[in-house]
Amino acid sequence: MTFCISFQYLNFMDNLAAPFHHLNPYFVQNPQTHMPPRSLSPTSVSLGMSETQLVSSPQCSSPKFSPNFHPLDNLGEIRTLNSVRELHAQIIKMRKKRNLVTMDGSMMRNYLEFGDFVSAAKVFFVGFSRNYLLWNAFLEEFASFGGDSREILEVFKELHNKGVKFNSNAFTVVLKICFALMDLWQGMEVHACLIKRGFHVDVHLSCALINLYEKCLGIARANQVFDDAPLQEDFLWNTIVMANLRSERRENALQLFRRMQSASAKATDGTIVKLLQACGKLRVLNEGKQIHGHVIKFGRVSNTSICNSIVSMYSRNARLDLAKAVFDSMEDHNLSSWNSIISSYAVNGCVSGAWNIFQEMQSSSIKPDIITWNSILSGHLLQGTYENVLTNFRSLQTAGFKPDSCSITSALQAVIELGSFNLGKEIHGYIMRGKLDYDVYVSTSLVDMYIKNDCLDKAEVVFHHTKNKNICAWNSLISGYTYKGLFNDAEKLFNLMEEEGIKPDLVTWNSLISGYSMWGRSEEALAVINRIKSLGLTPNVVSWTAMISGCCQNENYMDALQFFNQMQEENVTPNSTTICSLLRACAGPSLLKKGEEIHCFSMKHGFLGDIYIATALIDMYSKGGKLRVAHEIFRNIKEKTLPCWNCMMMGYAIYGHGEEVFTLFDNMCKTGIRPDSITFTALLSGCKNSGLVMEGWKYFDSMKTDYNITPTIEHYSCMVDLLGKTGFLDEALDFIHSMPQKADASIWGALLAACRIHKDIKIAEIAARNLFRLEPYNSANYVLLMNIYSSFDRWGDVERLRDSMTAMGVKIPNVWSWTQVKQTIHVFSTEGKSHPEEGEIYFELYQLISEIRKLGYVPDISCVHQNIDNNEKEKVLLSHTEKLAMTYGLMKIKGGSPVRVVKNTRICQDCHTAAKYISQAQNREIFLRDGSRFHHFMNGECSCNDRW
């Protein structure tokens, strides 16, 4: 304590030595002179305390004064506020025997107990400013007695105005109070006083100012305080780095850390931990490695918290090998260490690795907790192995753990994905019995579960019984309405939400955007975007991604790409979900060139490490006719997830490469990944497109027996398709009749398509009758049956079908094909404008037909469903859009590059045959994706083996 403050203290306390009725006004603010203590009885009031005891005590409780100090001998006399004041006056008169710390600590405590907060604060400021720890203790006790920190600030201002001089400790605590109260103006006044008195060089004051400005004015002002500080000591460096991290200025925090090292400043363990977390969130592997090197250099590898953060940092940067290496090198593993590495494997989709470590943990002295189990559940959710989520959910209960809200929400999410509504109701019963329905996150998951199972009434009941509904609960039900297309109900709930005083956030608006775009109402979705802007909000990446994703779900692929262009014009940076949706938009119509552009965009912005984007790229390239590129991307993925394997298997399946599909399946099983229903769809698709009947039966039977997977209608459809296309039409029909499920349009459609190949008109009519009943307005079924009739010259039946279509108002949709040359898509359609180069295209096509006739091509006039002469039928065949698109591609795409054609309906038999001959004559690869499947023509053969 400075001499100045000691002198001020003595002068101030002299006022207390005067007769009681002459005390200063601040001692008689409370007219109730016989007020009882706030918390303790009078005899329990302690009046003395050593400085050491004050520092070590969590409160300012004081031991007794020295026995020689006579005014304190009779504690029982302190029964009123007046007696406290009288005692205080006597203490000041006996200055020579006083101990400032013990006396002031006692008097502050007495004043607090009698509710005289102002007097306590004055003693605090004037006589007690020696030790920073004492300040903190007083602030805690002041609050415990019900004092308001604003009273301390008022006393400070009063004393300051009266000329009391304070040291840097006092100013530091005042700034701390300003920070807690967010009193920016008082803090700025203190800052000005500090500069005037030269205290701004004190590092603790600078730190207090940084914290105050960061909270009240923003990080930019806090950084300015740091830059202006003349002494940048270690404590100040750590403070500014942490302030930037709190403000999510992570890049700036990393730059400050580099400057710290240049200045030879030492970062605390807490700062290192937070910086490693920032490297994980930013996905900046190199910076994370540098901090790891810093940790090794300065011998901090023994710090378990730092090592745990290093493990998490490598995990977030998709470097499980490095994360595991750090974990294995740690001397001690605590529970957090095990949870960090298990979570690392789980969130990166390597659930088998997470499970192996989990079992290793169980054999150690440290036992798993509920967080460990939740990591396993989350990993299965991310990998899409929803059956395993429920299996492990039961296992954690068997292990004696009570599921928490995180476990419950994971289980409910798995229920939603699997459509296991009955199990969901059982979990709801468990939630009610365990009284977990108070948790708003659990309730929100229940609402979502009932919505996805078409039980909006039950979802509403859960919602209205949820206590303390937060914005997430409201958004969940609004999202449910929009998901089902109930936009009027969504608007009503939206208005009710505002009436309840809950302001819609971007998630609310984004739900409306997603719903409108998903239901094909792109204009309304765009109107919501504009509505958001009119409210002063900024549509974020989620808003635009919802637009794009919704359009993809509704197969409005061109709209999705157009919205992406608008998103870029708005300077909104896409995220990984946006990229996945865009790749899906390219995969749908096989927009290979656009997909390649998005691939380049992903490389440029560092998205290729994302497993979901890698999987979407495999799908896009497979459907775009570049199976080798798809396989190369697949091969380079280190930690392959189940969706990744499924996507690659499906890619080979659509090309008819059944053996490759089986090899992938065997390799996947060897890695410990368990197949799901989608895996078997890929396997059976590979069988049907390759004509492998025995293998098809093998995998179909193993679903239930070996993997406990119940076949879905999609699996039955694959088997019907396989049996039918390989000529086992009677067996296919018997299989349909023996199915435990009722055959849908996909089943009968597969059978009808097989009848066209094998020209079985009897079974074709059976299949067609069922299709006309299930899909009376699907023109493709009528056209397929007409094709079969025309092949038998049954023109009366063809006309009968045509008349039936006219009577029912069924129209054959516009048939089109397109090919892309450079950046331009050229469309050939049965309706609308003809191509500007139509003359040159037909001339080239005539030349091609003449050339392939020499190789054995004979026009298949049975594909023409018109009763006209054969010459006219051959002319009609020439006008088929896929022939025109192929011809134009051969004319314009030079250098031997493949020609790629997309057609919206099934390719006809004649065009399929012609394409095989053209690929042989021109020595060119032709990729044609029709409305049914993928065809790869090369050297006179097709990947479908004439089964489509």
Side-chain angles (χ1 to χ4, degrees):
M1 175 178 172
T2 64
F3 287 109
C4 175
I5 291 182
S6 298
F7 182 72
Q8 296 279 341
Y9 172 79
L10 295 176
N11 287 338
F12 175 71
M13 292 304 177
D14 277 342
N15 292 323
L16 299 181
F20 179 74
H21 60 276
H22 294 301
L23 288 174
N24 284 346
Y26 81 91
F27 281 106
V28 291
Q29 288 180 9
N30 193 338
Q32 196 121 15
T33 58
H34 294 280
M35 181 176 63
R38 288 290 181 98
S39 60
L40 302 175
S41 63
T43 58
S44 67
V45 177
S46 57
L47 299 176
M49 187 176 187
S50 69
E51 184 164 353
T52 304
Q53 289 169 315
L54 277 167
V55 174
S56 62
S57 174
Q59 291 184 327
C60 293
S61 303
S62 305
K64 295 181 180 180
F65 278 123
S66 168
N68 297 325
F69 193 72
H70 301 294
L72 305 181
D73 289 342
N74 191 355
L75 300 179
E77 294 181 1
I78 306 178
R79 296 183 178 277
T80 65
L81 180 58
N82 284 340
S83 63
V84 174
R85 292 169 176 166
E86 290 174 348
L87 176 63
H88 197 178
Q90 294 178 42
I91 290 172
I92 295 172
K93 289 180 180 179
M94 302 182 66
R95 295 172 183 170
K96 294 181 180 180
K97 294 184 179 182
R98 75 182 183 278
N99 180 314
L100 290 177
V101 173
T102 47
M103 287 193 306
D104 297 338
S106 301
M107 296 317 303
M108 284 189 295
R109 175 70 179 229
N110 291 333
Y111 282 126
L112 288 175
E113 288 177 342
F114 282 94
D116 192 347
F117 298 112
V118 173
S119 295
K122 288 188 175 182
V123 175
F124 171 61
F125 271 118
V126 177
F128 205 58
S129 55
R130 296 165 184 77
N131 191 299
Y132 184 70
L133 294 175
L134 302 180
W135 286 85
N136 287 331
F138 172 76
L139 293 177
E140 291 177 10
E141 188 161 21
F142 190 86
S144 71
F145 278 93
D148 188 343
S149 298
R150 290 179 178 81
E151 293 179 87
I152 300 178
L153 289 183
E154 291 299 321
V155 170
F156 169 78
K157 286 190 286 187
E158 178 186 344
L159 296 178
H160 184 267
N161 292 335
K162 289 182 177 180
V164 176
K165 301 296 183 182
F166 299 104
N167 67 5
S168 61
N169 285 346
F171 282 112
T172 301
V173 175
V174 169
L175 287 173
K176 180 179 178 181
I177 297 172
C178 293
F179 169 80
L181 298 175
M182 292 192 70
D183 191 338
L184 175 62
W185 294 110
Q186 179 69 45
M188 293 177 73
E189 289 179 10
V190 172
H191 190 184
C193 181
L194 292 175
I195 296 173
K196 183 178 180 181
R197 295 188 57 190
F199 278 170
H200 63 290
V201 298
D202 185 283
V203 66
H204 293 285
L205 285 169
S206 296
C207 291
L209 285 169
I210 285 172
N211 291 328
L212 174 67
Y213 283 130
E214 181 239 328
K215 186 173 183 179
C216 298
L217 280 182
I219 191 62
R221 186 67 184 88
N223 286 332
Q224 185 179 344
V225 172
F226 171 78
D227 293 334
D228 292 343
L231 298 176
Q232 294 178 341
E233 300 178 15
D234 293 358
F235 186 50
L236 190 62
W237 278 105
N238 283 279
T239 300
I240 192 61
V241 169
M242 294 296 284
N244 277 269
L245 290 171
R246 283 194 301 270
S247 299
E248 298 186 357
R249 295 282 295 275
R250 301 184 183 97
E251 297 91 342
N252 198 44
L254 291 171
Q255 291 176 3
L256 284 165
F257 179 68
R258 295 190 194 98
R259 289 172 56 191
M260 274 185 78
Q261 292 179 289
S262 300
S264 299
K266 183 180 179 181
T268 64
D269 291 346
T271 303
I272 294 292
V273 167
K274 292 297 182 181
L275 285 168
L276 286 166
Q277 292 174 2
C279 292
K281 291 177 181 178
L282 292 172
R283 307 292 197 272
V284 285
L285 180 61
N286 289 333
E287 286 80 354
K289 285 182 175 180
Q290 291 171 20
I291 297 176
H292 187 185
H294 174 87
V295 169
I296 296 171
K297 179 180 178 181
F298 290 95
R300 299 189 182 186
V301 290
S302 60
N303 187 299
T304 305
S305 297
I306 289 178
C307 288
N308 291 345
S309 298
I310 294 173
V311 169
S312 297
M313 181 275 294
Y314 281 128
S315 164
R316 282 178 169 264
N317 282 281
R319 290 300 305 270
L320 284 180
D321 54 336
L322 296 178
K324 187 62 164 63
V326 173
F327 176 80
D328 291 338
S329 68
M330 292 172 63
E331 296 177 2
D332 297 313
H333 296 132
N334 59 16
L335 181 59
S336 296
S337 308
W338 288 100
N339 284 341
S340 293
I341 191 65
I342 290 171
S343 176
S344 297
Y345 274 78
V347 299
N348 280 279
C350 187
V351 184
S352 58
W355 184 253
N356 291 336
I357 299 172
F358 177 78
Q359 291 177 317
E360 183 184 346
M361 177 185 182
Q362 287 185 307
S363 63
S364 71
S365 59
I366 297 177
K367 300 304 178 184
D369 62 358
I370 190 66
I371 297 175
T372 323
W373 282 100
N374 287 341
S375 296
I376 297 293
L377 295 177
S378 299
H380 282 301
L381 270 181
L382 289 170
Q383 197 178 49
T385 52
Y386 304 114
E387 295 92 345
N388 291 336
V389 174
L390 299 177
T391 300
N392 283 284
F393 180 72
R394 298 185 189 98
S395 296
L396 77 87
Q397 293 175 283
T398 305
F401 290 98
K402 182 179 180 181
D404 59 7
S405 62
C406 184
S407 316
I408 293 290
T409 51
S410 294
L412 288 173
Q413 185 61 40
V415 165
I416 292 169
E417 297 295 338
L418 293 171
S420 305
F421 184 45
N422 290 332
L423 181 57
K425 289 194 289 187
E426 290 179 20
I427 294 176
H428 189 182
Y430 175 86
I431 290 168
M432 296 181 69
R433 290 192 301 274
K435 297 182 179 180
L436 285 169
D437 51 342
Y438 70 88
D439 188 288
V440 69
Y441 298 103
V442 172
S443 298
T444 302
S445 297
L446 281 172
V447 170
D448 192 36
M449 187 265 291
Y450 282 118
I451 286 170
K452 298 292 175 59
N453 284 280
D454 293 318
C455 294
L456 278 175
D457 53 341
K458 290 184 174 62
E460 289 172 340
V461 170
V462 173
F463 173 79
H464 290 300
H465 278 81
T466 301
K467 297 178 181 178
N468 302 318
K469 290 187 284 286
N470 60 10
I471 186 71
C472 297
W474 289 90
N475 288 343
S476 180
L477 191 56
I478 290 174
S479 177
Y481 284 133
T482 58
Y483 181 80
K484 296 297 180 184
L486 303 173
F487 296 105
N488 289 335
D489 292 328
E491 289 287 353
K492 289 178 183 177
L493 192 63
F494 190 89
N495 295 333
L496 180 61
M497 174 182 175
E498 291 185 313
E499 290 174 9
E500 294 283 337
I502 297 178
K503 188 177 181 181
D505 60 4
L506 270 176
V507 176
T508 321
W509 294 107
N510 290 343
S511 297
L512 292 173
I513 293 170
S514 179
Y516 279 126
S517 58
M518 186 175 65
W519 282 86
R521 298 166 64 171
S522 300
E523 292 183 2
E524 288 97 325
L526 196 58
V528 176
I529 288 275
N530 294 327
R531 189 174 170 187
I532 294 173
K533 293 178 183 178
S534 68
L535 293 172
L537 300 174
T538 302
N540 59 8
V541 62
V542 180
S543 311
W544 289 101
T545 302
M547 292 266 286
I548 295 167
S549 177
C551 289
C552 289
Q553 292 180 54
N554 201 49
E555 298 186 359
N556 291 331
Y557 301 117
M558 303 311 293
D559 283 350
L561 295 173
Q562 180 59 40
F563 286 138
F564 177 61
N565 292 334
Q566 289 182 247
M567 176 182 177
Q568 289 182 299
E569 291 173 2
E570 298 276 344
N571 295 319
V572 179
T573 303
N575 58 20
S576 59
T577 307
T578 318
I579 300 299
C580 287
S581 298
L582 289 167
L583 289 170
R584 195 191 325 165
C586 296
S590 294
L591 295 171
L592 180 62
K593 295 292 183 184
K594 193 67 179 178
E596 288 175 331
E597 290 177 15
I598 295 170
H599 188 181
C600 293
F601 183 92
S602 301
M603 293 175 65
K604 181 180 178 182
H605 291 83
F607 284 118
L608 289 189
D610 189 290
I611 187 64
Y612 301 103
I613 289 179
T615 304
L617 282 169
I618 293 169
D619 183 54
M620 186 276 294
Y621 278 115
S622 297
K623 292 176 179 176
K626 282 198 171 184
L627 190 59
R628 292 176 184 172
V629 177
H631 186 266
E632 186 65 20
I633 294 170
F634 172 80
R635 190 178 63 82
N636 290 327
I637 299 173
K638 293 182 179 179
E639 298 291 338
K640 299 177 178 64
T641 61
L642 178 60
C644 178
W645 287 97
N646 287 344
C647 194
M648 193 69 253
M649 280 190 272
M650 190 62 77
Y652 276 113
I654 62 177
Y655 280 83
H657 300 330
E659 295 296 336
E660 285 82 353
V661 177
F662 307 151
T663 301
L664 282 170
F665 176 73
D666 292 338
N667 291 337
M668 183 191 80
C669 292
K670 288 176 183 177
T671 65
I673 295 178
R674 188 175 178 85
D676 62 0
S677 61
I678 299 174
T679 312
F680 283 97
T681 300
L683 285 166
L684 295 176
S685 296
C687 293
K688 75 172 185 177
N689 292 336
S690 304
L692 303 172
V693 178
M694 297 303 295
E695 289 80 356
W697 278 119
K698 168 189 161 186
Y699 289 116
F700 183 81
D701 291 337
S702 70
M703 289 179 65
K704 189 67 177 176
T705 57
D706 297 337
Y707 298 98
N708 197 29
I709 298 174
T710 303
T712 65
I713 198 71
E714 191 171 8
H715 300 118
Y716 285 108
S717 178
C718 286
M719 286 303 297
V720 171
D721 206 5
L722 170 60
L723 293 170
K725 286 177 179 177
T726 51
F728 298 100
L729 291 171
D730 291 327
E731 287 83 351
L733 188 59
D734 291 340
F735 181 79
I736 293 172
H737 290 148
S738 66
M739 284 170 46
Q741 303 179 40
K742 190 174 182 179
D744 67 355
S746 68
I747 299 287
W748 293 111
L751 186 62
L752 182 59
C755 292
R756 180 195 61 79
I757 296 172
H758 299 287
K759 295 189 170 31
D760 190 319
I761 200 164
K762 179 180 178 182
I763 296 180
E765 289 178 331
I766 295 172
R769 280 197 297 272
N770 284 281
L771 282 169
F772 296 158
R773 175 176 53 82
L774 293 168
E775 297 179 332
Y777 299 101
N778 187 347
S779 62
N781 299 324
Y782 294 92
V783 171
L784 194 53
L785 185 58
M786 282 193 286
N787 189 310
I788 297 172
Y789 280 141
S790 64
S791 66
F792 287 94
D793 291 331
R794 292 176 54 170
W795 300 109
D797 290 321
V798 172
E799 290 301 320
R800 178 177 55 80
L801 278 177
R802 191 172 280 122
D803 292 341
S804 177
M805 291 175 66
T806 303
M808 293 184 64
V810 179
K811 294 182 179 180
I812 298 176
N814 177 32
V815 178
W816 50 257
S817 300
W818 60 260
T819 188
Q820 186 170 354
V821 178
K822 296 182 180 180
Q823 298 300 317
T824 305
I825 292 177
H826 296 265
V827 181
F828 301 86
S829 174
T830 55
E831 299 178 7
K833 294 181 179 180
S834 60
H835 195 278
E837 299 179 63
E838 185 179 70
E840 292 89 339
I841 295 170
Y842 271 106
F843 177 80
E844 185 66 27
L845 179 57
Y846 278 115
Q847 297 295 323
L848 280 173
I849 296 299
S850 298
E851 186 176 355
I852 63 177
R853 278 180 182 273
K854 297 174 184 178
L855 297 176
Y857 165 71
V858 177
D860 187 353
I861 58 176
S862 66
C863 295
V864 180
H865 312 142
Q866 296 169 274
N867 192 10
I868 53 179
D869 64 57
N870 292 347
N871 290 332
E872 291 299 318
K873 288 182 179 180
E874 289 189 19
K875 292 180 181 179
V876 171
L877 289 175
L878 287 174
S879 65
H880 282 194
T881 59
E882 55 265 56
K883 284 193 181 78
L884 298 174
M886 280 189 286
T887 303
Y888 190 75
L890 290 167
M891 290 169 54
K892 298 296 182 180
I893 301 173
K894 304 300 181 183
S897 298
V899 173
R900 304 177 192 279
V901 176
V902 177
K903 179 179 170 64
N904 69 326
T905 59
R906 187 190 300 265
I907 186 175
C908 79
Q909 180 68 43
D910 179 71
C911 289
H912 189 269
T913 303
K916 289 195 293 183
Y917 279 107
I918 290 172
S919 70
Q920 181 183 358
Q922 296 289 308
N923 193 26
R924 296 282 285 276
E925 289 182 86
I926 299 173
F927 294 91
L928 190 147
R929 182 178 176 184
D930 68 5
S932 174
R933 60 166 297 168
F934 208 99
H935 302 268
H936 178 201
F937 301 98
M938 185 172 62
N939 299 325
E941 295 181 352
C942 180
S943 60
C944 74
N945 297 316
D946 296 334
R947 289 184 290 267
W948 84 96

